[in-house]
């Protein structure tokens, strides 16, 4: 029998079509006679090309320990016993937050600024009320705000984009919300520039053709599409290191200083920008004991090797930054884990 974290061992959960893979897993397990019950745990991520999906998939594999698995100490799974976690594709932070609040998925990834707006019922969530069911397991890693312009544009500050055509992502995208916050801080509300709603891929083509003046993209660096653009067009990144961005970070504790290394994008010098935490969120009603076990599995040494193999972003997921800049409370199960198992001094 498949159970959710909220009602483990008591009743079945109906599964929507896009998570029907779980049914196949259940049939396999049942046919094999390995177990009669397991817990199915969904992690909302992003589109299949996103960092959210890559990291969510790695975490899902690490915390899973299906019935009948070999023991951890003999090379088997070191995840939560009888747990099957699956990374579910979504449109990103906003969809994940809404689905977690509604109890439609157990957990998901979300950028800290979007989580803050949901928790306070502001910005894109202003018509939905406060998302009071959101809780955190960890701040996983940092995403970087990119203001991309042509190197020959003459722009040196975000303020220079007044009256310009700025691609801010899709009309209902995560990046549009972030772009609007930063542009307003520089005195540019949406009447003072032309917002272009387009994907990063389409925006890159438009910048190359001269159809737009700037792209705002939020993601772990290097963003592959921006890196590809830099191979065919000489670009620059506008820095976010002045008094305006400093005050913005002071006002919102979930914003941090971030540095995009030099030559990460061809010909672009190191650039100071704003970093935004990518959080692993859960619904407040999930069983504290199971969230404790999931948190413990996240920081198991076996998970460390899985994350490290995903590349630089996975390697940046560290216990020492797990509790930095959280805009909503920890889930009680995660809080108990961190209280009982403090990070060793100097751990990385």
């Amino acid at each position: 029998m498949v159970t959710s974290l909220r009602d483990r061992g008591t009743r079945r959960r109906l599964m929507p079509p896009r998570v029907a893979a779980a049914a196949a897993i259940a049939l396999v397990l049942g046919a094999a006679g390995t177990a009669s019950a397991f817990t199915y745990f969904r992690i909302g991520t992003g589109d299949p090309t996103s960092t959210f999906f890559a990291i969510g998939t790695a975490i899902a594999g690490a915390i899973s320990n299906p019935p009948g698995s070999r023991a951890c100490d003999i090379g088997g799974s070191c995840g939560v016993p009888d747990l099957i976690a699956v990374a579910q594709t979504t449109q990103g932070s906003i969809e994940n937050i809404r689905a977690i609040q509604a109890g439609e998925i157990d957990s998901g990834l979300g950028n800290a600024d979007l989580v803050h707006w949901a928790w306070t019922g502001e910005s894109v969530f202003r018509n939905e009320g406060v998302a009071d069911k959101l809780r955190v397991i960890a701040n996983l890693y940092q995403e970087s705000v990119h203001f991309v312009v042509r190197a020959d544009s003459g722009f040196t500050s975000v303020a220079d984009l007044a009256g310009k055509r700025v691609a801010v992502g899709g009309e209902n995208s995560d990046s549009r919300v972030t772009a609007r916050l930063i542009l307003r801080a520089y005195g540019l509300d949406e009447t003072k520039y032309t917002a272009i709603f387009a994907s990063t891929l389409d925006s890159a083509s438009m910048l190359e053709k001269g159809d737009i003046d700037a792209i705002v993209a939020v993601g772990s660096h290097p963003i592959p599409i921006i890196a590809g653009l830099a191979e065919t067009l000489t670009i620059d990144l506008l820095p976010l290191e002045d008094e305006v961005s400093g005050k913005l970070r002071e006002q919102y504790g979930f914003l941090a200083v971030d540095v995009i290394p030099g030559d990460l994008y061809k010909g672009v010098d190191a650039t100071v920008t704003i970093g935004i935490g990518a959080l692993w969120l859960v619904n407040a009603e999930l069983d504290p004991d199971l969230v404790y076990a999931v948190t413990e599995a996240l920081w198991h040494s076996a998970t460390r090797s899985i994350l490290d193999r995903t590349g630089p972003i996975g390697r940046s997921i560290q216990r020492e930054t797990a509790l930095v800049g959280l805009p909503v409370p920890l889930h009680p199960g995660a809080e108990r884990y961190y209280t009982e198992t403090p990070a060793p001094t100097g751990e990385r």
Side-chain angles (χ1 to χ4, degrees):
M1 180 175 68
V2 181
T3 63
S4 72
L5 292 184
R6 212 170 299 169
D7 54 14
R8 187 178 185 184
T10 60
R11 63 178 183 270
R12 300 178 75 93
R13 166 177 286 185
L14 296 177
M15 292 173 288
R18 61 175 166 175
V19 296
I25 296 171
L27 288 173
V28 170
L29 290 174
T34 55
S36 60
F38 64 88
T39 299
Y40 182 62
F41 187 89
R42 292 167 296 178
I43 305 173
T45 59
D47 72 65
T49 65
S50 67
T51 301
F52 270 13
F53 183 76
I55 294 300
T57 299
I59 290 174
I63 68 173
S64 293
N65 188 348
S69 297
R70 286 187 300 166
C72 176
D73 58 2
I74 58 171
S77 172
C78 298
V80 181
D82 299 332
L83 181 77
I84 296 178
V86 177
Q88 179 169 312
T89 59
T90 70
Q91 294 302 307
S93 297
I94 294 174
E95 182 179 345
N96 293 340
I97 288 166
R98 287 171 172 157
I100 293 168
Q101 173 67 16
E104 295 170 355
I105 58 175
D106 305 296
S107 76
L109 305 186
N111 283 347
D113 57 338
L114 278 304
V115 175
H116 168 81
W117 300 129
W119 180 254
T120 57
E122 300 176 74
S123 186
V124 69
F125 300 98
R126 63 186 176 277
N127 296 323
E128 303 173 35
V130 174
D132 57 354
K133 297 281 177 39
L134 296 181
R135 296 295 184 272
V136 180
I137 287 180
N139 183 343
L140 296 176
Y141 63 93
Q142 193 158 274
E143 301 217 310
S144 307
V145 179
H146 295 62
F147 274 80
V148 186
V149 297
R150 299 173 70 104
D152 60 3
S153 66
F155 304 144
T156 59
S157 167
V158 172
D160 294 336
L161 298 179
K164 306 303 180 183
R165 301 159 297 176
V166 182
V168 295
E171 192 166 0
N172 299 308
S173 66
D174 300 349
S175 61
R176 181 192 178 184
V177 179
T178 304
R180 187 164 48 193
L181 174 68
I182 296 173
L183 286 160
R184 281 180 176 173
Y186 282 86
L188 304 179
D189 62 32
E190 290 187 332
T191 67
K192 295 183 179 177
Y193 63 94
T194 301
I196 305 297
F197 304 120
S199 68
T200 304
L201 179 61
D202 290 341
S203 299
S205 176
M206 294 167 73
L207 187 68
E208 189 169 24
K209 294 175 182 176
D211 294 336
I212 59 173
D213 301 295
I215 301 169
V216 184
V218 181
S220 51
H221 56 66
I223 296 175
I225 292 170
I226 303 303
L229 176 63
E231 294 294 326
T232 59
L233 177 70
T234 306
I235 66 169
D236 204 354
L237 297 176
L238 298 182
L240 295 170
E241 59 175 331
D242 54 15
E243 184 178 358
V244 174
S245 58
K247 287 182 177 178
L248 193 61
R249 285 190 291 264
E250 287 177 8
Q251 182 177 0
Y252 299 107
F254 52 81
L255 300 179
V257 175
D258 190 40
V259 178
I260 300 173
D263 289 326
L264 195 62
Y265 301 107
K266 184 178 178 180
V268 180
D269 293 336
T271 306
V272 176
T273 187
I274 285 175
I276 301 173
L279 311 180
W280 187 10
L281 305 164
V282 291
N283 186 289
E285 296 178 358
L286 297 188
D287 182 345
D289 290 339
L290 287 168
V291 175
Y292 179 99
V294 166
T295 309
E296 184 177 44
L298 171 65
W299 300 119
H300 193 283
S301 58
T303 303
R304 174 78 273 143
S305 7
I306 291 171
L307 292 173
D308 287 349
R309 289 197 296 270
T310 67
I313 300 305
R315 290 192 290 273
S316 73
I317 298 175
Q318 301 288 340
R319 265 287 299 274
E320 65 182 7
T321 54
L323 306 181
V324 174
L326 303 183
V328 300
L330 285 166
H331 188 283
E335 184 174 20
R336 178 161 63 88
Y337 171 80
Y338 290 117
T339 299
E340 294 179 0
T341 317
T345 303
E347 179 186 271
R348 285 201 57 79

